[in-house]
Each structure stands twice: as structure tokens, then as C-alpha cells.
Amino acid sequence: MSRTVTALYDTRAEAEAARDRLASEVNLKDVDIVAQDADGGAGDDGLGELYLSDEDRHAYGEGIRRGAYLLTAHVKTGEDPDHIIRLLEESPSVDLDERQESWRNEGWQPYSGTGMAAAGTGEAQSGAVREEHIPIVEEQLRVGKREVARGGARVRSYVREVPVREEVELREEHVTIGRRPVEERLSDADLKDNEILQERVIEVSEVREEAVIHKEAVVREELVVNKTVERRTEQVEGTVRRTEVEVEDLSETEARTGGGSAFTGFEGGDGDRRS
């Protein structure tokens, strides 16, 4: 029994990177990439070979028509599909539900089939046999991921003025002029000295100190804002539905009544294949 795990990518490089990771980490070789062909379809090896529901086939076909790339990993018995799904979750795959919602806003219509179709009425031509088809449907678990805001931090820096008072000692000079009585007699020799009787000019300046303000910026500390990324693996569980078929052989009942039976058995190429 095998399963098919699918993931949609916007670029071929992303799809090939996911395929290479599956090959290197789980040694999965049976991986295909379906892309658009020259006519705008899914190519010769496209969706026709995949076991997909009609809804997924319709959605994947639209994605490929818009230029996306579909990765299909065929998981065989003995291989771990959950591990493969987790690896694809970690890749930049497309969230198909969100992408379909975006397409619907653009006018795209999702699949709306009836789920059962009859091929022929069985009465139009002689020898024609009425044939009815029972689709064997199985849901597949498709896991995507999205980013959810969970908080954070906002850091704002601003400048405010703070009054500062400092004391400084200032010096100020003052010149004073006064007279005082002197009783001193000069001799003839003192009078002959030219330095006694001569014109003089004396200048004395006053000096005072003033406070001068000078500002100097100094970095005292710094605030470091850092963000770290943690990765975790979450186990996602869900339920999927599948169609079970029970076939009852009516040949014994027909034999007892004398009739014949055209029942030859129920065969399928891969009757238990999962998508």
C-alpha cells in the first residue's frame, strides 16, 4: 500500500530544493514535479496519473495553470509519511486554502461536481450494457502553515531636558584709589633726582571671571534589541474518510433459481492505493 503526499510551490527552484531534501534525508527517490506545458496544461505526466480527489485535482490544476509547480512524493510501505510531511511543512510550500480563497476573490470557481456519473443508459443500442461507476474516494491529509502574530516589543527613544546645577568659583578684581598723609622731607639730592619730579601715568586694569557653559555628550550605556528564532515540531492529527466497497457474490443464489450470473470478480490495479 502506498500514499501520495503533495505540495505546491510558486517556483521550480523551491520544488526542486524540497525534492533534493527528501532524497538526502529520507532517501525518497519516487518524487515528481508537475509543471505547466506549452499548452497551459499540467503536462503529459501531470494530474491524470495521480490519485486525487476531484476538488484537489481542480485546485492543483488551477495552480499549475497559473505557473505553480506541484511536487508529488510517492510513499511506499515501510516509509514514514509523517516525517515526509514535516519536511515539506518546513519548506516554502503554498497554503492551498489561502491561495484558493485569493483565486475565488478573482472570480475563480472551485469544484462543484455531483460525485457520481452514469456512463450510458443501457437502452439506446442493442447489446449495450448499463454501466454505473462508484468512485473510490479517500481523503488526504494536507498540512500547511501560516504566520500568526503573538506579541513583540516596541522600543521608542526620545530626548528630554533635565535641569542641572553646578557651582563654580569666580574671581573678580577691584581697583581702589586713596590718599594718606606722609611727613617726609626731601633733601637737595632727592630733588636733583629726576625720578621724583616728573610726570607719571599709571594704569591698573580690573579683571573678573565669568562662567562659561560647555556641553559634552557621553554614551553611558546602550539598549540592545535582539530577536531569536526557535523551531519546534508539532504533531498534527486529524481524521480522513475513505470509501470502502463490499462486493457480494450472488452466483449461488442465481444457481439455486436456475439462473446464470455475469459476475466475474472485482479487480483493481492498485485498489488500496492512497492519495
Side-chain angles (χ1 to χ4, degrees):
M1 182 172 60
S2 62
R3 294 179 58 182
T4 301
V5 180
T6 58
L8 194 66
Y9 297 89
D10 287 324
T11 64
R12 176 177 287 275
E14 294 174 345
E16 291 178 350
R19 180 189 60 187
D20 296 341
R21 186 178 183 186
L22 293 178
S24 62
E25 295 195 16
V26 297
N27 196 25
L28 187 63
K29 303 298 184 182
D30 195 2
V31 180
D32 299 321
I33 297 177
V34 182
Q36 187 182 87
D37 59 13
D39 297 329
D44 296 336
D45 299 328
L47 302 178
E49 301 296 330
L50 300 178
Y51 289 85
L52 297 173
S53 65
D54 293 335
E55 293 83 355
D56 288 344
R57 188 182 303 276
H58 183 66
Y60 282 137
E62 179 65 18
I64 295 174
R65 187 184 68 82
R66 291 172 178 261
Y69 297 84
L70 178 63
L71 182 143
T72 60
H74 305 286
V75 184
K76 299 180 180 179
T77 303
E79 297 173 335
D80 186 4
D82 294 334
H83 186 200
I84 295 174
I85 291 175
R86 286 195 298 270
L87 293 178
L88 294 180
E89 287 177 358
E90 297 174 358
S91 64
S93 58
V94 172
D95 189 323
L96 191 58
D97 293 335
E98 293 183 358
R99 191 60 57 88
Q100 289 183 82
E101 183 66 24
S102 175
W103 295 341
R104 279 193 290 268
N105 294 334
E106 298 174 2
W108 175 77
Q109 296 296 327
Y111 179 79
S112 59
T114 59
M116 176 176 292
T121 62
E123 300 175 357
Q125 296 179 358
S126 175
V129 179
R130 180 172 181 175
E131 182 180 85
E132 292 186 355
H133 297 267
I134 300 178
I136 309 300
V137 180
E138 181 174 351
E139 294 179 334
Q140 72 177 66
L141 185 64
R142 183 175 64 249
V143 181
K145 57 184 179 179
R146 62 181 179 180
E147 293 185 354
V148 180
R150 56 183 301 270
R154 179 182 292 112
V155 179
R156 181 175 65 92
S157 64
Y158 59 94
V159 179
R160 65 185 181 95
E161 294 184 354
V162 180
V164 178
R165 178 174 296 177
E166 297 286 344
E167 292 184 356
V168 59
E169 182 178 336
L170 301 177
R171 186 172 61 88
E172 186 173 347
E173 298 178 347
H174 299 279
V175 177
T176 60
I177 300 175
R179 293 186 178 185
R180 62 183 178 181
V182 177
E183 292 294 336
E184 181 180 356
R185 296 182 179 275
L186 300 176
S187 63
D188 294 336
D190 294 332
L191 293 176
K192 293 180 180 180
D193 188 359
N194 294 330
E195 293 182 359
I196 297 297
L197 295 176
Q198 65 177 354
E199 295 182 357
R200 295 183 180 184
V201 177
I202 299 175
E203 292 184 0
V204 179
S205 61
E206 296 180 343
V207 178
R208 67 184 182 90
E209 295 178 339
E210 294 181 348
V212 179
I213 298 176
H214 174 70
K215 297 180 181 180
E216 182 180 17
V218 180
V219 179
R220 298 297 184 186
E221 61 178 348
E222 61 182 4
L223 182 66
V224 179
V225 180
N226 189 18
K227 182 174 72 172
T228 60
V229 178
E230 296 181 358
R231 294 188 177 272
R232 60 185 177 90
T233 300
E234 181 177 340
Q235 187 73 27
V236 180
E237 297 182 357
T239 59
V240 295
R241 297 172 296 174
R242 59 173 300 174
T243 303
E244 300 288 348
V245 179
E246 294 183 359
V247 180
E248 182 181 357
D249 190 353
L250 302 178
S251 59
E252 295 182 0
T253 304
E254 295 293 336
R256 287 195 298 269
T257 59
S261 174
F263 176 77
T264 58
F266 179 82
E267 295 183 357
D270 192 0
D272 202 17
R273 184 169 186 174
R274 298 189 177 187
S275 61

